[in-house]
Amino acid sequence: MRENNKAIFYLFYVPLRWLILKEQSLMAFVASYFSLIVLFFIPIFLFIWVYFPMIGVEHGRSVAESRIKYYKENLCGNEDNYWSACMDLSTSHISSYKTPEVVSGRLIFRSGNFLGLYTKGGPVTMSMPDNFYHLSSANDRYKGNVEKRIPSQSSSPAEECRPDC
């Protein structure tokens, strides 16, 4: 048979003979790596698949709760912040809803034309007005030295320059 069909012989018989001769070592190889995969890699994969999202959700929840607690206590900034973090936005562009004329709160996020504000009444999501202007104001709760935080009101930059500049 070997003489007549050399291609079939070398294609099937030689690998099959090797497999039969090495069956014990092959089975030991498969068994050892199977146990390694089953005992080590699959539990790690399941741990990552199941617990990492849960860890992320819990961490995000704890961070968000602490920030919301901070915003409830210090909506426009605490006594260390000179500038107020609150914004006053006109709602005249939202005429079809019964909204107040001005919404005042801390800007939490902006995505495209949408704004997320945290107000005294809770979170508010609104579309951004066409014309928007924000003038920062001083924080009423600031307890620091005002002269240290506000630049001088001189008319020329040369007057502001100290001897060391």
Side-chain angles (χ1 to χ4, degrees):
M1 180 174 134
R2 185 161 82 175
E3 299 297 329
N4 296 339
N5 303 317
K6 287 187 179 186
I8 294 174
F9 177 77
Y10 286 109
L11 188 62
F12 292 110
Y13 178 72
V14 173
L16 189 62
R17 187 184 70 160
W18 176 85
L19 184 63
I20 291 170
L21 292 175
K22 307 294 183 186
E23 180 185 1
Q24 290 180 347
S25 61
L26 182 66
M27 292 310 279
F29 177 81
V30 168
S32 65
Y33 279 100
F34 178 77
S35 63
L36 177 73
I37 290 170
V38 168
L39 295 177
F40 185 71
F41 290 118
I42 291 178
I44 287 179
F45 178 74
L46 290 176
F47 179 77
I48 291 170
W49 188 270
V50 173
Y51 290 112
F52 274 16
M54 289 173 39
I55 292 169
V57 166
E58 288 301 317
H59 176 69
R61 184 177 291 129
S62 69
V63 169
E65 285 173 356
S66 68
R67 291 311 295 176
I68 288 173
K69 180 181 175 188
Y70 174 77
Y71 291 152
K72 283 181 180 177
E73 295 170 0
N74 308 301
L75 182 63
C76 293
N78 61 15
E79 45 194 44
D80 295 330
N81 302 112
Y82 178 74
W83 296 110
S84 175
C86 285
M87 301 178 80
D88 297 327
L89 297 170
S90 172
T91 59
S92 60
H93 67 286
I94 310 173
S95 60
S96 61
Y97 300 103
K98 296 178 183 176
T99 58
E101 290 182 20
V102 176
V103 174
S104 180
R106 182 179 272 231
L107 182 66
I108 302 296
F109 72 89
R110 177 181 166 252
S111 177
N113 272 0
F114 294 103
L115 299 174
L117 297 169
Y118 194 79
T119 64
K120 289 181 182 177
V124 173
T125 305
M126 62 183 276
S127 61
M128 198 166 171
D130 293 331
N131 298 318
F132 176 71
Y133 177 76
H134 174 69
L135 179 64
S136 296
S137 60
N139 185 6
D140 296 336
R141 298 181 63 193
Y142 180 65
K143 301 284 188 207
N145 186 357
V146 176
E147 286 79 26
K148 198 163 91 175
R149 295 294 299 254
I150 299 177
S152 65
Q153 301 294 328
S154 64
S155 59
S156 71
E159 293 176 16
E160 290 183 15
C161 187
R162 295 180 302 277
D164 59 341
C165 46

